[in-house]
Amino acid sequence: MELDKMDENDWKYHGEGNKSLVVSHVQHPRVLRLLKYPAEDSENPPQTAEQAYRQIQNIVDFSSNVMSSLLGEKFIHSGEVVKLPLEFVRQLSIKVQHQRPAWRCDKVMDIYSGCALCLPNLTSPALHQPTHTPPLCIEIKPKCGFLPSPKHVSKDIKTKVCRYCMHQHYKVANGKWKRRSFYCPLDLFSGNRQRMHFAIKHLIEEPQNNFKVFKGGQCIYSSKEGSDESPDMNSLLHHLRPYFLHANNRMNSHVTCKAVLNDFIQVLVNALLSSGGGDGGVVADRQAEGRSFCEASIFNKERIRHGSRGLPNDSVLFRILQTQMLDTLDIEGLYPLYRQVEQHLQDFPKERTRLQIEGPYNEAFLEKLQKCPAEDDGSVEYAVAKVHQYRVAMTAKDCSIMVALVPSSEEEEDNESLSSQRQLRDFRPPAFSYSASILDLDPKPFDSIPRQLRLDQKIVTCYLRTGGALP
Ligand code: ATP
Ligand code: ZN
Ligand code: MG
Ligand code: MG
């Protein structure tokens, strides 16, 4: 990419989250991720260009030095900071403005710093040779996959109903979403195929901001916040149908919508359980079986035909769950340690650097959180290590998985169809090669912790007031 010859016509709107806006290159498999800030500050950027550069460099460092070693390098693409011409950024922001969803426009794209994060475009993977059938990429934001330990929580309900399910009630009560989703992360992270299938089915039915489908790099399925309408499932099935026509040796016309959807979900479950190379051993389910079932999930336990084997230990879900579980104390148990660190920093401001509160996110930072003493010895080092662990877990609870499904080329299929296997088994799953990546690995700010505690209290209070009553 020649940074001095940037042309806004080579880039198009790709998507956005709460903190950044993403544009993709029209030819090369690359995206630029730009910062956003509140619209009321649009005349008055909240930080200088140097600070913006530092912030993005921190994201790269956090991803490549910390999250990558916890989640597994093979899943992570950290990218690099780039400095763009301001005129290009300004034109780009004008160009994409009308494509942005209205409900995201409470924030504006940063046009002052000229800094962005350049990443590979994970929705247009170049696995194997390019085929004429474009790849399907599925983005899942799985959220937290375990229940906190009863030791640290003040409300019993937190050990029974997962955070995501409680948060759903809060969001519906506050009008953020019209309907609650029946997706439960504990089903997705269970490693049990039936529960995972169930979870993904509900993600598709009510995607909110947890599920998107891209075809050939274009988003073809997502939901609109605050909207009454459900996303168009028929349109999704229309896109998916050609990928699953050969499945199960059905005649084209006999492939029902239900069968297409089932095949699609099954391929996704396979991709999520695949170990992506490596030995792929299976580890026991979360030690306490009681902590892996959510009472709010509408999955009927009695339906389980096969016991849970747990997640393969180098699957993408396993690595994310392990990292989430670095939150061992829950926000309630962590908060006093946060206060201890805060007090220490007030007394000794220079300690901020040594304790790496705002980075740098290097190997020393990783070591601080990995070499945390087992017991609270009262030291500030212990408190800092737990705070660092909590922040890393927060990032893992907020990241997305991008699963890329690349249809095998026709030739490969022909060779395969010669094999006697096809005659032996009536069922032949559609041939895809798959890969998984993890995206959105920003460090969560130290001072966001008090906000986390307040939000937790609001969610639990709201659930106890309205929760059990709602369907
Ligand atoms: P959140 O609100 O979830 O924290 P965010 O503001 O941190 O989001 P991202 O999740 O990183 O932003 O990016 C927003 C969206 O852009 C993603 O949900 C995804 O659809 C798309 N996206 C981000 N990075 C890439 C990438 N490398 N390749 C393809 N698409 C991407
Ligand atoms: Zn749940
Ligand atoms: Mg995101
Ligand atoms: Mg994010």
Side-chain angles (χ1 to χ4, degrees):
M1 191 163 63
E2 292 182 67
L3 292 171
D4 51 335
K5 289 194 198 123
M6 298 293 283
D7 183 345
E8 69 276 5
N9 296 310
D10 293 336
W11 298 86
K12 63 174 201 271
Y13 180 79
H14 181 74
E16 64 190 285
N18 189 32
K19 296 212 194 63
S20 49
L21 186 148
V22 177
V23 294
S24 56
H25 196 275
V26 294
Q27 278 171 334
H28 306 296
R30 232 181 249 139
V31 301
L32 292 173
R33 185 177 185 254
L34 296 119
L35 296 174
K36 304 202 301 189
Y37 49 79
E40 54 276 18
D41 301 341
S42 62
E43 306 287 291
N44 205 356
Q47 55 184 356
T48 64
E50 289 74 51
Q51 286 167 328
Y53 191 94
R54 188 66 246 163
Q55 186 185 343
I56 300 175
Q57 187 60 55
N58 267 345
I59 294 174
V60 174
D61 293 345
F62 190 70
S63 170
S64 61
N65 299 326
V66 182
M67 297 313 289
S68 151
S69 97
L70 296 168
L71 294 169
E73 275 171 45
K74 67 182 176 202
F75 299 123
I76 313 289
H77 310 266
S78 303
E80 54 175 10
V81 198
V82 289
K83 200 95 210 257
L84 305 162
L86 286 180
E87 189 47 29
F88 163 74
V89 180
R90 255 192 297 272
Q91 293 303 330
L92 192 63
S93 119
I94 296 168
K95 183 182 165 176
V96 301
Q97 186 55 37
H98 72 279
Q99 292 172 47
R100 299 184 55 204
W103 60 277
R104 289 288 193 192
C105 290
D106 56 326
K107 297 217 172 130
V108 292
M109 186 182 126
D110 164 27
I111 53 167
Y112 296 104
S113 76
C115 301
L117 177 57
C118 182
L119 292 159
N121 186 344
L122 298 171
T123 64
S124 50
L127 291 178
H128 309 291
Q129 323 100 309
T131 51
H132 26 263
T133 327
L136 283 176
C137 294
I138 296 90
E139 181 178 343
I140 297 176
K141 186 169 176 152
K143 304 301 288 186
C144 182
F146 69 97
L147 293 167
S149 138
K151 242 187 294 176
H152 306 284
V153 304
S154 60
K155 298 281 194 300
D156 196 36
I157 192 76
K158 285 173 71 175
T159 66
K160 300 200 171 91
V161 175
C162 84
R163 163 61 176 255
Y164 178 89
C165 289
M166 278 201 263
H167 205 174
Q168 279 294 308
H169 286 269
Y170 182 77
K171 286 177 173 173
V172 172
N174 286 282
K176 171 151 174 154
W177 299 107
K178 290 281 188 292
R179 282 174 301 274
R180 82 172 256 228
S181 151
F182 291 110
Y183 163 68
C184 173
L186 272 58
D187 290 327
L188 186 73
F189 282 100
S190 67
N192 176 286
R193 284 174 181 277
Q194 280 172 280
R195 287 178 70 188
M196 292 175 73
H197 195 104
F198 188 83
I200 293 171
K201 191 161 162 273
H202 289 290
L203 277 176
I204 297 173
E205 277 171 12
E206 211 61 69
Q208 299 190 355
N209 61 347
N210 303 92
F211 188 84
K212 287 183 206 164
V213 181
F214 297 83
K215 181 177 133 189
Q218 299 275 20
C219 183
I220 56 158
Y221 191 70
S222 67
S223 77
K224 296 179 179 56
E225 193 153 354
S227 146
D228 273 330
E229 303 155 49
S230 295
D232 190 353
M233 177 107 73
N234 283 329
S235 148
L236 173 67
L237 290 169
H238 176 78
H239 282 290
L240 294 180
R241 181 174 285 269
Y243 292 84
F244 298 93
L245 272 187
H246 305 300
N248 299 350
N249 283 344
R250 293 188 205 92
M251 297 298 290
N252 289 5
S253 55
H254 293 153
V255 183
T256 62
C257 289
K258 206 173 159 205
V260 170
L261 195 64
N262 274 335
D263 288 352
F264 173 61
I265 297 175
Q266 195 175 325
V267 169
L268 253 177
V269 170
N270 288 343
L272 288 170
L273 288 176
S274 78
S275 49
D279 54 1
V282 170
V283 291
D285 209 2
R286 263 144 293 167
Q287 318 87 330
E289 182 63 29
R291 282 178 67 186
S292 58
F293 252 109
C294 167
E295 284 186 7
S297 167
I298 57 168
F299 182 86
N300 180 352
K301 286 188 206 184
E302 272 121 59
R303 277 179 43 188
I304 295 187
R305 287 186 297 260
H306 313 283
S308 172
R309 295 179 64 226
L311 292 163
N313 66 8
D314 58 356
S315 64
V316 66
L317 286 174
F318 179 81
R319 298 299 293 257
I320 291 175
L321 184 62
Q322 288 299 298
T323 309
Q324 292 180 347
M325 289 174 91
L326 285 172
D327 164 17
T328 55
L329 301 176
D330 188 72
I331 183 66
E332 294 185 63
L334 180 86
Y335 189 68
L337 296 171
Y338 167 82
R339 290 298 301 270
Q340 183 189 341
V341 176
E342 206 190 24
Q343 186 60 52
H344 182 83
L345 295 176
Q346 260 166 31
D347 298 343
F348 311 97
K350 285 188 182 142
E351 284 277 277
R352 194 168 272 273
T353 312
R354 181 183 70 88
L355 297 171
Q356 298 182 269
I357 302 299
E358 271 94 33
Y361 301 114
N362 52 16
E363 270 135 57
F365 182 92
L366 181 64
E367 209 165 288
K368 278 198 176 75
L369 74 91
Q370 285 178 325
K371 296 213 173 119
C372 174
E375 295 288 326
D376 188 353
D377 53 6
S379 67
V380 71
E381 279 73 20
Y382 174 82
V384 165
K386 292 314 280 185
V387 169
H388 286 349
Q389 285 183 352
Y390 181 79
R391 289 172 59 201
V392 161
M394 262 167 70
T395 296
K397 292 176 189 183
D398 229 21
C399 69
S400 291
I401 304 169
M402 189 73 82
V403 175
L405 304 177
V406 181
S408 308
S409 70
E410 312 279 292
E411 289 148 63
E412 271 176 62
E413 249 175 58
D414 281 347
N415 289 338
E416 224 177 273
S417 67
L418 290 175
S419 82
S420 55
Q421 279 216 336
R422 192 171 181 181
Q423 281 129 37
L424 284 176
R425 297 179 305 150
D426 262 330
F427 177 77
R428 193 174 66 101
F432 289 102
S433 47
Y434 27 71
S435 69
S437 315
I438 305 175
L439 50 102
D440 198 357
L441 295 172
D442 299 6
K444 302 290 176 185
F446 174 72
D447 53 19
S448 68
I449 289 175
R451 226 175 13 248
Q452 279 296 319
L453 182 69
R454 284 195 300 274
L455 179 62
D456 185 71
Q457 289 162 343
K458 281 194 221 161
I459 290 171
V460 173
T461 310
C462 170
Y463 190 81
L464 288 173
R465 209 176 48 226
T466 67
L470 283 174

